[in-house]
Amino acid sequence: MVTKEEILEVLKGVSDPEIGMDVVNLGLVYDIKIDGNRVYIKMTMTAPTCPVTPWILTQAQKEVENLPGVEAADIELVWDPPWNPSMMSDEAKEQLNMF
């Protein structure tokens, strides 16, 4: 069975092209649930008007579904809680000069 750590690792390969940072370090992944061979992910975007939202969600789904043992990945886009820069990892803040 796939693990949350494996899922997070492949999601680090999905970047917001406008910011140049992956969705995990940006703090956009809120929750991951695994039910057998199905994965359920709640994630958000940095802003509701993000023009690359469909692309990011599709890429995230493809990356997770490419993991061995995953039959399907359902990505739910949520807006609560609203994303803010404090949700980013220290690595992201450093890379984006936000310290």
Side-chain angles (χ1 to χ4, degrees):
M1 183 188 294
V2 69
T3 66
K4 286 184 181 184
E5 291 77 19
E6 291 170 317
I7 294 166
L8 287 169
E9 194 59 39
V10 297
L11 289 175
K12 286 181 180 177
V14 179
S15 292
D16 181 325
E18 294 184 315
I19 300 172
M21 178 65 56
D22 69 85
V23 297
V24 174
N25 280 297
L26 280 173
L28 302 179
V29 179
Y30 286 175
D31 191 33
I32 298 172
K33 289 193 176 13
I34 303 164
D35 185 10
N37 57 6
R38 296 189 70 88
V39 174
Y40 302 91
I41 300 171
K42 286 186 181 183
M43 62 184 294
T44 195
M45 296 292 122
T46 57
T49 58
C50 179
V52 293
T53 296
W55 183 85
I56 291 172
L57 296 176
T58 299
Q59 289 304 112
Q61 182 179 19
K62 285 180 183 178
E63 290 294 327
V64 174
E65 287 179 344
N66 281 335
L67 283 168
V70 175
E71 184 178 302
D74 296 315
I75 313 284
E76 180 183 355
L77 182 61
V78 298
W79 301 109
D80 188 32
W83 180 87
N84 67 72
S86 71
M87 296 172 161
M88 293 190 300
S89 69
D90 288 344
E91 176 184 326
K93 290 175 187 173
E94 185 175 322
Q95 189 170 343
L96 297 172
N97 295 316
M98 297 184 74
F99 275 118

